[in-house]
Amino acid sequence: MPRAGLSPDAVVRLAVEVVDAGGPTGFADLTLAKVAAKAGVAAPSLYKHVGSLADLRREVTLIAVAELTAAGTSVTVGRAGADALRALATAWRSYALDHPGRYAATQIGPDPDAPADAALRDAAAESVQVVVAVLRGFGLPDARLIDAVRAVRAGVHGFVTLELGGGFRMREDVDQSFTVLLDMLVAGVAALARSDTPQSDTITGSHS
């Protein structure tokens, strides 16, 4: 039965439902036809509320990025250093396992030059700042922050992607393996911070 009172927001909510129902490939497989079927209308009817599939995908991504940012923020408040990094990475993994389709959407980087991606660029920047704030707790210099952000993101994302794809089928506990990954990330970030600390700082704790 057709949905009464469709609106741009309602179409986006339906798109999120379609993404959720599709599992890990839900975002990649999102189409206007699937959303129209969910709404009980013909696909052309959606163009009254959304300009294109690209626009709809962008709106879904905005929701997912905001959710992931909120999840990371909530668990890192009041924490610092290794404790904060472990909490952040665990929140990312939990979000990915609970909402694999939406998580996939968060991996789409906004076009740095496209006006249509302005809101998504702002949302992505806010998300990155959560990670930056956590990594600053290790004493990393600004010049190494982006390297560390990328390394942490790659480590957690790689693990989660393999987990969602059924890549871990041996009997050993996956949670324990994730804990080992976190230990390695914490050690790696700490080592990166130490490698960039001038010897005078190490000895005296301040610049002479």
Side-chain angles (χ1 to χ4, degrees):
M1 183 175 182
R3 299 279 184 104
L6 273 183
S7 66
D9 286 344
V11 171
V12 173
R13 286 195 299 272
L14 289 171
V16 171
E17 291 178 15
V18 170
V19 167
D20 286 344
T25 64
F27 184 71
D29 296 340
L30 179 65
T31 64
L32 290 175
K34 290 182 178 179
V35 177
K38 184 79 172 176
V41 300
S45 300
L46 295 183
Y47 287 106
K48 299 175 184 177
H49 310 289
V50 61
S52 66
L53 176 60
D55 291 340
L56 187 57
R57 288 169 62 88
R58 187 181 299 111
E59 293 301 318
V60 171
T61 300
L62 273 169
I63 290 173
V65 169
E67 289 176 344
L68 191 62
T69 300
T73 300
S74 67
V75 299
T76 54
V77 171
R79 289 187 165 114
D83 187 33
L85 180 53
R86 292 177 193 279
L88 178 64
T90 299
W92 284 351
R93 181 189 179 212
S94 294
Y95 184 83
L97 296 180
D98 291 341
H99 308 288
R102 296 189 210 186
Y103 173 76
T106 68
Q107 303 306 306
I108 306 300
D111 186 325
D113 301 314
D117 276 2
L120 186 53
R121 283 195 296 272
D122 290 343
E126 184 178 352
S127 185
V128 169
Q129 285 308 307
V130 175
V131 194
V132 168
V134 167
L135 295 178
R136 284 190 190 280
F138 286 82
L140 278 169
D142 288 348
R144 303 311 297 268
L145 280 170
I146 293 302
D147 293 335
V149 168
R150 288 171 174 167
V152 168
R153 179 184 173 193
V156 177
H157 177 66
F159 189 99
V160 166
T161 300
L162 286 167
E163 186 174 12
L164 288 172
F168 298 140
R169 295 185 179 270
M170 297 178 72
R171 295 181 183 275
E172 284 75 9
D173 182 52
V174 176
D175 290 341
Q176 174 61 29
S177 296
F178 188 69
T179 298
V180 170
L181 171 66
L182 297 187
D183 291 343
M184 294 172 70
L185 290 175
V186 166
V189 174
L192 186 62
R194 287 194 303 271
S195 71
D196 273 53
T197 301
Q199 190 171 4
S200 59
D201 288 358
T202 303
I203 297 172
T204 67
S206 62
H207 292 288
S208 59

mmCIF file of all heavy atoms in Angstrom, residues 11-17 19-20 27 30 35 54-67 95 101-102 105-106 120:
data_model
loop_
_atom_site.group_PDB
_atom_site.id
_atom_site.type_symbol
_atom_site.label_atom_id
_atom_site.label_comp_id
_atom_site.label_asym_id
_atom_site.label_seq_id
_atom_site.Cartn_x
_atom_site.Cartn_y
_atom_site.Cartn_z
ATOM 1 N N VAL A 11 11.625 9.888 2.820
ATOM 2 C CA VAL A 11 12.335 9.094 1.810
ATOM 3 C C VAL A 11 13.712 8.692 2.327
ATOM 4 O O VAL A 11 14.155 7.543 2.147
ATOM 5 C CB VAL A 11 12.454 9.875 0.487
ATOM 6 C CG1 VAL A 11 13.368 9.141 -0.486
ATOM 7 C CG2 VAL A 11 11.070 10.069 -0.144
ATOM 8 N N VAL A 12 14.384 9.604 2.999
ATOM 9 C CA VAL A 12 15.701 9.282 3.553
ATOM 10 C C VAL A 12 15.573 8.205 4.624
ATOM 11 O O VAL A 12 16.379 7.269 4.682
ATOM 12 C CB VAL A 12 16.373 10.547 4.127
ATOM 13 C CG1 VAL A 12 17.655 10.177 4.864
ATOM 14 C CG2 VAL A 12 16.677 11.539 3.014
ATOM 15 N N ARG A 13 14.553 8.317 5.465
ATOM 16 C CA ARG A 13 14.354 7.292 6.502
ATOM 17 C C ARG A 13 14.106 5.923 5.871
ATOM 18 O O ARG A 13 14.618 4.902 6.346
ATOM 19 C CB ARG A 13 13.181 7.673 7.405
ATOM 20 C CG ARG A 13 13.488 8.810 8.380
ATOM 21 C CD ARG A 13 12.446 8.884 9.478
ATOM 22 N NE ARG A 13 11.108 9.133 8.964
ATOM 23 C CZ ARG A 13 10.588 10.338 8.749
ATOM 24 N NH1 ARG A 13 11.320 11.415 9.007
ATOM 25 N NH2 ARG A 13 9.366 10.480 8.291
ATOM 26 N N LEU A 14 13.335 5.896 4.805
ATOM 27 C CA LEU A 14 13.089 4.632 4.108
ATOM 28 C C LEU A 14 14.384 4.091 3.498
ATOM 29 O O LEU A 14 14.636 2.876 3.504
ATOM 30 C CB LEU A 14 12.040 4.828 3.014
ATOM 31 C CG LEU A 14 10.608 5.066 3.497
ATOM 32 C CD1 LEU A 14 9.718 5.460 2.325
ATOM 33 C CD2 LEU A 14 10.051 3.828 4.188
ATOM 34 N N ALA A 15 15.201 4.997 2.969
ATOM 35 C CA ALA A 15 16.481 4.576 2.396
ATOM 36 C C ALA A 15 17.369 3.951 3.460
ATOM 37 O O ALA A 15 18.045 2.943 3.213
ATOM 38 C CB ALA A 15 17.182 5.766 1.747
ATOM 39 N N VAL A 16 17.373 4.529 4.657
ATOM 40 C CA VAL A 16 18.156 3.957 5.757
ATOM 41 C C VAL A 16 17.637 2.564 6.102
ATOM 42 O O VAL A 16 18.426 1.646 6.360
ATOM 43 C CB VAL A 16 18.102 4.886 6.987
ATOM 44 C CG1 VAL A 16 18.721 4.188 8.197
ATOM 45 C CG2 VAL A 16 18.826 6.198 6.708
ATOM 46 N N GLU A 17 16.325 2.377 6.080
ATOM 47 C CA GLU A 17 15.751 1.056 6.348
ATOM 48 C C GLU A 17 16.195 0.046 5.291
ATOM 49 O O GLU A 17 16.502 -1.116 5.605
ATOM 50 C CB GLU A 17 14.231 1.145 6.385
ATOM 51 C CG GLU A 17 13.671 1.917 7.575
ATOM 52 C CD GLU A 17 12.153 2.012 7.546
ATOM 53 O OE1 GLU A 17 11.520 1.257 6.771
ATOM 54 O OE2 GLU A 17 11.596 2.849 8.280
ATOM 55 N N VAL A 19 18.959 0.230 3.516
ATOM 56 C CA VAL A 19 20.380 -0.014 3.764
ATOM 57 C C VAL A 19 20.554 -1.003 4.906
ATOM 58 O O VAL A 19 21.354 -1.947 4.823
ATOM 59 C CB VAL A 19 21.100 1.317 4.072
ATOM 60 C CG1 VAL A 19 22.494 1.064 4.631
ATOM 61 C CG2 VAL A 19 21.197 2.173 2.811
ATOM 62 N N ASP A 20 19.810 -0.804 5.985
ATOM 63 C CA ASP A 20 19.913 -1.716 7.130
ATOM 64 C C ASP A 20 19.527 -3.140 6.748
ATOM 65 O O ASP A 20 20.173 -4.110 7.171
ATOM 66 C CB ASP A 20 19.010 -1.237 8.267
ATOM 67 C CG ASP A 20 19.555 -0.016 8.990
ATOM 68 O OD1 ASP A 20 20.754 0.281 8.829
ATOM 69 O OD2 ASP A 20 18.792 0.642 9.714
ATOM 70 N N PHE A 27 24.406 -0.489 1.675
ATOM 71 C CA PHE A 27 24.624 0.848 1.128
ATOM 72 C C PHE A 27 25.042 0.778 -0.335
ATOM 73 O O PHE A 27 24.552 1.534 -1.172
ATOM 74 C CB PHE A 27 25.674 1.593 1.940
ATOM 75 C CG PHE A 27 25.889 3.009 1.493
ATOM 76 C CD1 PHE A 27 24.927 3.971 1.716
ATOM 77 C CD2 PHE A 27 27.055 3.380 0.839
ATOM 78 C CE1 PHE A 27 25.109 5.291 1.293
ATOM 79 C CE2 PHE A 27 27.266 4.684 0.417
ATOM 80 C CZ PHE A 27 26.281 5.640 0.643
ATOM 81 N N LEU A 30 22.044 0.137 -2.550
ATOM 82 C CA LEU A 30 20.898 1.049 -2.463
ATOM 83 C C LEU A 30 20.513 1.568 -3.842
ATOM 84 O O LEU A 30 21.360 2.034 -4.603
ATOM 85 C CB LEU A 30 21.246 2.232 -1.556
ATOM 86 C CG LEU A 30 20.168 3.298 -1.369
ATOM 87 C CD1 LEU A 30 18.948 2.722 -0.656
ATOM 88 C CD2 LEU A 30 20.729 4.502 -0.610
ATOM 89 N N VAL A 35 13.915 1.768 -2.709
ATOM 90 C CA VAL A 35 13.261 2.714 -1.804
ATOM 91 C C VAL A 35 11.805 2.926 -2.213
ATOM 92 O O VAL A 35 10.907 2.979 -1.367
ATOM 93 C CB VAL A 35 14.017 4.055 -1.778
ATOM 94 C CG1 VAL A 35 13.301 5.068 -0.891
ATOM 95 C CG2 VAL A 35 15.446 3.855 -1.289
ATOM 96 N N ALA A 54 22.376 9.779 -6.084
ATOM 97 C CA ALA A 54 23.567 10.339 -5.434
ATOM 98 C C ALA A 54 23.176 11.230 -4.263
ATOM 99 O O ALA A 54 23.813 11.198 -3.193
ATOM 100 C CB ALA A 54 24.399 11.121 -6.446
ATOM 101 N N ASP A 55 22.132 12.027 -4.447
ATOM 102 C CA ASP A 55 21.661 12.889 -3.360
ATOM 103 C C ASP A 55 21.159 12.045 -2.187
ATOM 104 O O ASP A 55 21.416 12.370 -1.025
ATOM 105 C CB ASP A 55 20.534 13.798 -3.849
ATOM 106 C CG ASP A 55 21.006 14.850 -4.825
ATOM 107 O OD1 ASP A 55 22.216 15.138 -4.848
ATOM 108 O OD2 ASP A 55 20.169 15.380 -5.576
ATOM 109 N N LEU A 56 20.445 10.991 -2.498
ATOM 110 C CA LEU A 56 19.904 10.129 -1.450
ATOM 111 C C LEU A 56 21.034 9.423 -0.699
ATOM 112 O O LEU A 56 21.016 9.340 0.536
ATOM 113 C CB LEU A 56 18.950 9.106 -2.056
ATOM 114 C CG LEU A 56 18.171 8.222 -1.075
ATOM 115 C CD1 LEU A 56 17.354 9.072 -0.106
ATOM 116 C CD2 LEU A 56 17.264 7.254 -1.844
ATOM 117 N N ARG A 57 22.004 8.941 -1.418
ATOM 118 C CA ARG A 57 23.153 8.286 -0.783
ATOM 119 C C ARG A 57 23.895 9.277 0.119
ATOM 120 O O ARG A 57 24.360 8.920 1.213
ATOM 121 C CB ARG A 57 24.100 7.733 -1.849
ATOM 122 C CG ARG A 57 23.558 6.508 -2.568
ATOM 123 C CD ARG A 57 24.396 6.155 -3.789
ATOM 124 N NE ARG A 57 25.761 5.826 -3.437
ATOM 125 C CZ ARG A 57 26.181 4.606 -3.097
ATOM 126 N NH1 ARG A 57 25.324 3.606 -3.060
ATOM 127 N NH2 ARG A 57 27.441 4.387 -2.799
ATOM 128 N N ARG A 58 24.000 10.521 -0.320
ATOM 129 C CA ARG A 58 24.669 11.541 0.484
ATOM 130 C C ARG A 58 23.916 11.768 1.797
ATOM 131 O O ARG A 58 24.529 11.906 2.864
ATOM 132 C CB ARG A 58 24.763 12.842 -0.305
ATOM 133 C CG ARG A 58 25.592 13.926 0.386
ATOM 134 C CD ARG A 58 25.632 15.197 -0.437
ATOM 135 N NE ARG A 58 26.235 14.975 -1.739
ATOM 136 C CZ ARG A 58 25.566 15.026 -2.890
ATOM 137 N NH1 ARG A 58 24.260 15.251 -2.898
ATOM 138 N NH2 ARG A 58 26.182 14.826 -4.035
ATOM 139 N N GLU A 59 22.591 11.797 1.735
ATOM 140 C CA GLU A 59 21.793 12.012 2.948
ATOM 141 C C GLU A 59 21.923 10.840 3.912
ATOM 142 O O GLU A 59 21.998 11.034 5.134
ATOM 143 C CB GLU A 59 20.326 12.238 2.575
ATOM 144 C CG GLU A 59 20.052 13.521 1.814
ATOM 145 C CD GLU A 59 20.472 14.749 2.601
ATOM 146 O OE1 GLU A 59 20.222 14.788 3.829
ATOM 147 O OE2 GLU A 59 21.050 15.667 2.001
ATOM 148 N N VAL A 60 21.942 9.641 3.385
ATOM 149 C CA VAL A 60 22.140 8.463 4.241
ATOM 150 C C VAL A 60 23.520 8.523 4.891
ATOM 151 O O VAL A 60 23.683 8.225 6.084
ATOM 152 C CB VAL A 60 21.975 7.160 3.424
ATOM 153 C CG1 VAL A 60 22.396 5.948 4.255
ATOM 154 C CG2 VAL A 60 20.532 7.011 2.952
ATOM 155 N N THR A 61 24.520 8.914 4.117
ATOM 156 C CA THR A 61 25.881 9.017 4.639
ATOM 157 C C THR A 61 25.958 10.051 5.752
ATOM 158 O O THR A 61 26.621 9.835 6.775
ATOM 159 C CB THR A 61 26.856 9.378 3.509
ATOM 160 O OG1 THR A 61 26.823 8.360 2.514
ATOM 161 C CG2 THR A 61 28.273 9.526 4.039
ATOM 162 N N LEU A 62 25.270 11.178 5.581
ATOM 163 C CA LEU A 62 25.253 12.212 6.617
ATOM 164 C C LEU A 62 24.720 11.658 7.939
ATOM 165 O O LEU A 62 25.275 11.924 9.015
ATOM 166 C CB LEU A 62 24.396 13.398 6.172
ATOM 167 C CG LEU A 62 25.087 14.468 5.340
ATOM 168 C CD1 LEU A 62 24.060 15.427 4.750
ATOM 169 C CD2 LEU A 62 26.079 15.251 6.216
ATOM 170 N N ILE A 63 23.647 10.885 7.861
ATOM 171 C CA ILE A 63 23.071 10.288 9.061
ATOM 172 C C ILE A 63 24.068 9.330 9.710
ATOM 173 O O ILE A 63 24.302 9.369 10.921
ATOM 174 C CB ILE A 63 21.762 9.556 8.720
ATOM 175 C CG1 ILE A 63 20.666 10.568 8.373
ATOM 176 C CG2 ILE A 63 21.313 8.650 9.874
ATOM 177 C CD1 ILE A 63 19.390 9.942 7.858
ATOM 178 N N ALA A 64 24.663 8.472 8.903
ATOM 179 C CA ALA A 64 25.584 7.472 9.430
ATOM 180 C C ALA A 64 26.820 8.117 10.046
ATOM 181 O O ALA A 64 27.265 7.710 11.135
ATOM 182 C CB ALA A 64 25.984 6.498 8.321
ATOM 183 N N VAL A 65 27.377 9.108 9.392
ATOM 184 C CA VAL A 65 28.567 9.783 9.923
ATOM 185 C C VAL A 65 28.236 10.471 11.248
ATOM 186 O O VAL A 65 29.013 10.403 12.211
ATOM 187 C CB VAL A 65 29.125 10.801 8.906
ATOM 188 C CG1 VAL A 65 30.194 11.687 9.547
ATOM 189 C CG2 VAL A 65 29.703 10.076 7.698
ATOM 190 N N ALA A 66 27.087 11.117 11.304
ATOM 191 C CA ALA A 66 26.681 11.780 12.552
ATOM 192 C C ALA A 66 26.511 10.770 13.673
ATOM 193 O O ALA A 66 26.907 11.023 14.829
ATOM 194 C CB ALA A 66 25.390 12.557 12.333
ATOM 195 N N GLU A 67 25.942 9.626 13.366
ATOM 196 C CA GLU A 67 25.760 8.588 14.384
ATOM 197 C C GLU A 67 27.096 8.047 14.870
ATOM 198 O O GLU A 67 27.293 7.850 16.079
ATOM 199 C CB GLU A 67 24.909 7.454 13.819
ATOM 200 C CG GLU A 67 23.454 7.803 13.609
ATOM 201 C CD GLU A 67 22.658 6.678 12.961
ATOM 202 O OE1 GLU A 67 23.286 5.743 12.405
ATOM 203 O OE2 GLU A 67 21.415 6.739 13.001
ATOM 204 N N TYR A 95 29.357 -0.187 16.356
ATOM 205 C CA TYR A 95 28.460 0.441 15.384
ATOM 206 C C TYR A 95 28.461 -0.345 14.077
ATOM 207 O O TYR A 95 27.395 -0.579 13.473
ATOM 208 C CB TYR A 95 28.884 1.890 15.123
ATOM 209 C CG TYR A 95 27.940 2.622 14.193
ATOM 210 C CD1 TYR A 95 26.776 3.202 14.674
ATOM 211 C CD2 TYR A 95 28.206 2.714 12.831
ATOM 212 C CE1 TYR A 95 25.898 3.861 13.830
ATOM 213 C CE2 TYR A 95 27.344 3.361 11.982
ATOM 214 C CZ TYR A 95 26.184 3.941 12.484
ATOM 215 O OH TYR A 95 25.311 4.581 11.628
ATOM 216 N N GLY A 101 25.441 -1.805 7.111
ATOM 217 C CA GLY A 101 25.180 -1.011 5.922
ATOM 218 C C GLY A 101 25.470 0.461 6.137
ATOM 219 O O GLY A 101 26.089 1.126 5.298
ATOM 220 N N ARG A 102 25.033 0.974 7.270
ATOM 221 C CA ARG A 102 25.308 2.377 7.584
ATOM 222 C C ARG A 102 26.815 2.602 7.784
ATOM 223 O O ARG A 102 27.356 3.636 7.371
ATOM 224 C CB ARG A 102 24.571 2.795 8.858
ATOM 225 C CG ARG A 102 23.069 2.756 8.755
ATOM 226 C CD ARG A 102 22.434 3.390 9.983
ATOM 227 N NE ARG A 102 21.143 2.780 10.276
ATOM 228 C CZ ARG A 102 20.318 3.210 11.228
ATOM 229 N NH1 ARG A 102 20.654 4.235 11.968
ATOM 230 N NH2 ARG A 102 19.155 2.601 11.441
ATOM 231 N N ALA A 105 28.540 3.235 4.696
ATOM 232 C CA ALA A 105 28.316 4.585 4.196
ATOM 233 C C ALA A 105 29.312 5.576 4.781
ATOM 234 O O ALA A 105 29.717 6.542 4.115
ATOM 235 C CB ALA A 105 26.894 5.035 4.515
ATOM 236 N N THR A 106 29.758 5.349 6.012
ATOM 237 C CA THR A 106 30.682 6.288 6.647
ATOM 238 C C THR A 106 32.061 6.264 6.007
ATOM 239 O O THR A 106 32.872 7.160 6.259
ATOM 240 C CB THR A 106 30.844 5.984 8.152
ATOM 241 O OG1 THR A 106 31.531 4.730 8.331
ATOM 242 C CG2 THR A 106 29.496 5.941 8.851
ATOM 243 N N LEU A 120 28.453 17.289 4.098
ATOM 244 C CA LEU A 120 29.149 16.033 4.377
ATOM 245 C C LEU A 120 30.608 16.296 4.753
ATOM 246 O O LEU A 120 31.160 15.621 5.631
ATOM 247 C CB LEU A 120 29.063 15.109 3.164
ATOM 248 C CG LEU A 120 29.628 13.697 3.345
ATOM 249 C CD1 LEU A 120 29.019 13.019 4.562
ATOM 250 C CD2 LEU A 120 29.394 12.876 2.084
#
